[in-house]
Amino acid sequence: SLSTQTINLSSNSIVELKGNEFSGPVISESLKNLDLSHSMLRFINRDTFSMLFNLVSLKLNDNLIKHLAPNIFWSLIRLLYLELHNNIHMNLSVTMLENLDRLLLLSVNKNQLDVNETLSKLKSIQLIRIHPNANDEIIRFKSDSNVNTINLSGLNIDFIDPNEFRDLVNVQYLYLKRNNLKTISNMTFHHLISLSWLDLSESNVETIESNAFCCLESLNSLLLIKNKIKIIRNMTFHALTALKKLDLSDSSVEIIEADAFYGLANLLHLYLNKNRLSRIDDFTLQHFSSLVFINLSYSRLEQVSANTFFGMKSLKKLYLKNNKIRMLRNKSFEHLPALNDLHLTNSSVEVVEANAFTGMWLLSLLMLNDNNVRELDWDSIELAFNFRYMNISSANISSIRPNFFNRYK
């Protein structure tokens, strides 16, 4: 039988729901998301939602609803998101919501509910969005010192008042994905002193102020995937001394200033793939003395020099796939003595100069396949003699030095 997980009935002229619209056995089992917003609704029968035990999201905002039965939501035991704002004359009380044991987000109008009482009585709720009649919305977080995880993803948040986090000193995981933040302002998270994981992916972030991450001395992972950060400014991450993972992949990065990564001496994993870098200035990555993994694939890089990777003495895996690096110059990787894996697949490499791989005594995997290597200095490869896997297929190589591979076990 067919199952429907989402029904969108927004922007219609429904006026009334009589109670049997969503009572079928298939719908009651499968429906997760129901949108009835902007539909001129005036009346909803008390039994309308009585069979929707698996409903996760319900939107009733921007209607003309005045009266709701006291127990209209009591069957919605799995509801996470409830939007009721812009029903200006709606009767609403905390008791109507008390059975919503999993509710995370509630959206209402100003003066429609006692916000403090609601935050106190609804155990699971993490955020209330309050819509004034004319001004920008207000966001209130639950101030609970025992909260460990906050998930505010997909809520179209465009501003965070740092003071809303003031009592959340034990929060370790904060998810702010798929919002509309644009700017991460100074001191935004400074109350979250126990924070270990922060996800700001897909939130249209364009600017990160220099003290945006101030006081996050326990932060272990920071995700900024799929944003619009054209320039990473100096000292952006200077306060994150305990950070182990930083993901800036697919974030439209074009320029990295010289000291953008200052303070990240303990970072282990860095993702800069799928950006628009074209080049990384010498010594920009020098602060990564502990880094073991970096992904620079699909980043439009046109060159690497001997000092591109200066200071990265612990690096073991380097991904440079699908770039535009025409030439591997002399001693391009000499500052990477611990490197095991080097990936240069499909990176437009045409020339490998003499001694390009000098100093890479531990290199055991080399991927040079799918390039156009017209000139390959075999001496440079011979210096890296611990290969367990070498792939130079589809690289337009015309000759192999006699007996070259006889030395490998």
Side-chain angles (χ1 to χ4, degrees), residues 56 76-83 97 99-107 118 122-128 142:
V56 172
L76 306 181
I77 56 176
R78 291 181 172 83
L79 197 69
L80 301 179
Y81 309 106
L82 177 59
E83 300 192 27
L97 309 172
N99 202 49
L100 303 178
D101 291 336
R102 299 188 181 185
L103 193 67
L104 298 177
L105 165 74
L106 174 64
S107 181
T118 306
L122 301 185
K123 296 178 181 179
S124 61
I125 200 158
Q126 295 184 355
L127 179 147
I128 296 180
K142 188 165 190 174

Side-chain angles (χ1 to χ4, degrees), residues 222-233:
L222 174 59
L223 280 63
L224 286 157
I225 306 164
K226 289 187 179 180
N227 281 295
K228 300 175 182 178
I229 310 166
K230 290 186 177 181
I231 302 175
I232 303 178
R233 301 288 185 185

Side-chain angles (χ1 to χ4, degrees), residues 356-392:
F357 302 110
T358 293
M360 304 176 73
W361 306 112
L362 299 179
L363 189 67
S364 59
L365 185 148
L366 175 63
M367 305 293 287
L368 255 176
N369 52 300
D370 297 291
N371 284 293
N372 188 28
V373 185
R374 294 181 288 104
E375 181 180 338
L376 176 63
D377 183 77
W378 290 94
D379 287 335
S380 65
I381 292 181
E382 190 170 18
L383 289 173
F385 51 80
N386 286 310
F387 284 118
R388 58 181 168 82
Y389 188 85
M390 181 193 304
N391 189 346
I392 318 180

Side-chain angles (χ1 to χ4, degrees), residues 240-300:
L240 305 179
T241 54
L243 199 68
K244 298 293 190 293
K245 176 182 177 180
L246 174 59
D247 196 335
L248 287 154
S249 57
D250 203 5
S251 282
S252 305
V253 178
E254 297 178 8
I255 298 172
I256 302 174
E257 294 187 349
D259 287 317
F261 297 124
Y262 178 84
L264 298 179
N266 292 309
L267 196 73
L268 298 177
H269 297 88
L270 175 63
Y271 297 82
L272 280 166
N273 47 302
K274 297 183 180 180
N275 282 297
R276 305 170 183 173
L277 289 168
S278 85
R279 63 171 290 158
I280 298 175
D281 290 338
D282 289 351
F283 307 109
T284 298
L285 305 176
Q286 66 178 316
H287 304 291
F288 296 129
S289 57
S290 299
L291 200 71
V292 297
F293 174 97
I294 185 170
N295 192 343
L296 290 161
S297 301
Y298 297 92
S299 285
R300 306 185 188 183

